[in-house]
Amino acid sequence: MTALTLLVLLLIYLSVRERARRRMTRCKELGGLDTRSSPLANALGALVGTAGGIYLSMVMLINFLELDVPNKVQIMGVNMEPLAAISLLMAIVQPFAMRLIGR
């Protein structure tokens, strides 16, 4: 594996861990935990949901502005849709940005 691949995997891990930590803190503040799903499952669901919401918003904006975006780009040897890659990156960074601004 290349160093960039390891960095991306580390960032995904840290993002999911931060989301799980924030969810655990919120659950404790509210007085209980959801016994049906784990914080990790909730954090992964939140990561995918956030990335999906960002992706849909970007697709609508690109279509509205009638911009030309390449169909595929190669990132670390993997062909991806550029909007999906940007959406996933933004969703990974989001919990760290929330921590920095104090929410």
Side-chain angles (χ1 to χ4, degrees), residues 22-35:
R22 292 175 62 84
R23 182 154 178 89
M24 288 287 292
T25 301
R26 267 196 313 260
C27 286
K28 286 180 184 176
E29 289 172 357
L30 295 176
L33 293 174
D34 185 10
T35 57

Side-chain angles (χ1 to χ4, degrees), residues 78-100:
V78 177
N79 288 327
M80 296 183 72
E81 185 180 350
L83 295 180
I86 292 169
S87 299
L88 184 60
L89 178 65
M90 290 175 74
I92 290 169
V93 171
Q94 185 259 345
F96 305 116
M98 296 297 288
R99 179 182 269 190
L100 286 175

Side-chain angles (χ1 to χ4, degrees), residues 2-13:
T2 65
L4 188 57
T5 303
L6 291 175
L7 179 63
V8 168
L9 291 174
L10 177 65
L11 285 175
I12 291 172
Y13 167 76

Side-chain angles (χ1 to χ4, degrees), residues 33-72:
L33 293 174
D34 185 10
T35 57
R36 293 182 189 196
S37 59
S38 72
L40 178 61
N42 291 330
L44 283 172
L47 176 68
V48 171
T50 301
I54 293 169
Y55 175 80
L56 290 175
S57 298
M58 289 174 55
V59 166
M60 288 188 295
L61 180 65
I62 296 287
N63 286 336
F64 177 73
L65 297 175
E66 297 181 359
L67 299 175
D68 287 329
V69 178
N71 289 337
K72 301 281 182 186

